[in-house]
Amino acid sequence: MNTLKNRYLSLDVFRGMDVALMIIVNSPGNGDTSFGILKHAEWNGFTLTDLVFPTFLFVVGNAMSFSMKKYEAIGDGAFLKKVFKRFSIIFLLGFLMYWFPFFENGSLKPIAETRIFGVLQRIALCYLFASLLLHYFKSRTVIIFSILALIAYNILLVVFGDLTLLGNAVIKLDEFLIGKNHMYHGNGGVAFDPEGLLSTLPAIVNVIAGYLTGKFIQKNGQNFETIAKLLMVAAILVVAGFAWDLIMPFNKKLWSSSFVLLTSGIDVFIIATLIYLLDMRKPGKWTYFFEIFGRNTLFIYLLSELFVISLGVISMKGTSTYNWIAENIFIATGGDYFGSLLFALWIMLTCWFIGFLMDKKGIYVKV
C-alpha cells in the first residue's frame, strides 16, 4: 500500500486541476467570445465548466476523509469549535470578497447591497453540515440522508415553484430571507443566486460523495480492485443522473438532483484515474504544476478573484484595466476567442507563479 503522502498527491493534483480550470473560466478576456466549453449552460444542460464547482466540493469531502479521523479523538467540544471556526472564516472571506474593494466613489460601499451567498459561502455551509453529519452519524445513515435530501429537494422545486429562472423555489426563498439587493445579478440583471440557500441542500451531497470515496480508498487500498469498484460506482451514478435528468434536467444554477449524481459520478471516475496514474505508477514531473494550486487552494482562488476585481475597478484610458489589457494585448494579438482564452491563461499563470513562490518558501495558508 502506498504512503499517506502519495494519497495527498492525488488529492493535491485533483484539487489543483480544478482550481486552475476555475480561474480560467472565471476570468475570460471577453465572456461573449469565450469558447462554449468554457461557459456555463444557460439554464438546463451541462458543460465542462459546470463540473468545476461541484468538483471543488467533492475534493473538500475527499480531504475531510483524512481530517475527520483526527476529529474523533479531540472530543465534541473541540470538534465543534474547530468546525464552526473554519465555517465562519470561509463564509466571512466570501462575503468580504464580494464587498471588496469596500469603497466606491470615495464612499463606503453599502453592506445593504452586498451579496450574501456565493461560492465560498456555499463551500462553508456544505463543509459545516457535512462535517456535523459525518461526525455524529454512521456512513449508512449519511447515505440515507443523501438520498432523501436529493428526493426532498426535487419535490421542493416542483411544489413551491417551477423550473424557470424567475419562478423557481430557490429564488423565492432567497427573496424572502435576504431580499433582492443581497442576491447575484449576473443573469441578465435578474436577482437570482446560483449559490442560493435552498440549493445548498443537494450540494452537501457532493461533499459527502467525496468523503465516502476517500474513506473507501483508505479502507481498501490503492489497487486494481479498488479502481474497478470506483469505476462501477461512477458508472452507476452517471447512469442514475441521466435517468433522473428525464424528470429533473441537469441544471447547475438550480443544482438539480440529477446534476449532483452526474457530477459525483464523473468525479469518482477522475479520482479513480488519478489513483492509477499517480499512486500506482510513477507520476512524473508534470504533477508539480497542479500541486502548486492544490497546496494553497483557498488563498490562490481568493487571489485570482481579488486580482480580477482590482483590474476591473482600476481605470486605464477610459476603460477598466481588465478590459484594456484583454482588448489591446491578448485579443488584439490572438483574436476574439483565442485572445480571451490567452487572457484567462495569463490570469491563471500569474496566480500560479505567486503560488510557486509561496511553495518555494514553504508558505501554506490554511484555514
Side-chain angles (χ1 to χ4, degrees), residues 25 27 34 36 58 78 96 103 111-112 129 152 167 173 207 211 217 226 242 248 251 271 281 318 337 358:
V25 301
S27 53
S34 292
F58 183 91
L96 292 176
F103 289 90
I111 295 181
F129 288 112
L173 181 61
V207 177
Y211 171 86
I217 295 168
T226 297
F242 273 97
M248 179 68 65
N251 190 307
I271 196 66
R281 299 181 64 186
Y337 286 89
M358 293 175 66

Side-chain angles (χ1 to χ4, degrees), residues 112-134:
E113 297 177 6
T114 301
R115 184 182 175 190
I116 290 180
F117 297 121
V119 172
L120 289 179
Q121 293 92 319
R122 169 156 292 181
I123 292 171
L125 286 166
C126 289
Y127 165 77
L128 172 64
F129 288 112
S131 294
L132 295 174
L133 285 166
L134 294 166

Side-chain angles (χ1 to χ4, degrees), residues 129-268:
F129 288 112
S131 294
L132 295 174
L133 285 166
L134 294 166
H135 181 75
Y136 288 108
F137 299 97
K138 294 182 179 180
S139 294
R140 178 174 176 150
T141 304
V142 176
I143 292 173
I144 294 173
F145 164 83
S146 300
I147 296 171
L148 294 178
L150 295 181
I151 295 173
Y153 181 63
N154 197 117
I155 294 172
L156 289 171
L157 286 182
V158 173
V159 173
F160 293 99
D162 53 36
L163 301 182
T164 65
L165 174 61
L166 296 176
N168 64 81
V170 176
I171 193 173
K172 291 180 179 179
L173 181 61
D174 286 345
E175 286 180 352
F176 175 76
L177 289 178
I178 62 176
K180 293 183 177 181
N181 287 342
H182 288 297
M183 295 164 64
Y184 180 65
H185 288 74
N187 300 281
V190 176
F192 168 77
D193 210 313
E195 283 78 46
L197 183 60
L198 183 60
S199 56
T200 298
L201 174 63
I204 296 170
V205 180
N206 287 94
V207 177
I208 293 172
Y211 171 86
L212 294 175
T213 301
K215 188 176 180 181
F216 176 82
I217 295 168
Q218 292 174 54
K219 180 180 178 181
N220 294 276
Q222 296 160 314
N223 50 59
F224 285 111
E225 183 180 354
T226 297
I227 292 175
K229 289 180 179 178
L230 288 175
L231 292 177
M232 288 175 60
V233 171
I236 292 171
L237 289 172
V238 170
V239 170
F242 273 97
W244 207 326
D245 174 64
L246 299 175
I247 303 171
M248 179 68 65
F250 300 134
N251 190 307
K252 186 265 179 187
K253 293 179 179 178
L254 287 178
W255 214 278
S256 60
S257 301
S258 58
F259 175 75
V260 173
L261 294 178
L262 175 65
T263 53
S264 296
I266 294 174
D267 287 333
V268 172

Side-chain angles (χ1 to χ4, degrees), residues 3-30:
T3 64
L4 192 64
K5 181 180 179 181
N6 283 334
R7 288 180 185 157
Y8 272 111
L9 173 63
S10 299
L11 181 59
D12 279 346
V13 171
F14 193 15
R15 185 163 45 199
M17 292 169 66
D18 191 55
V19 173
L21 183 57
M22 182 182 289
I23 295 173
I24 290 172
V25 301
N26 284 347
S27 53
N30 185 339

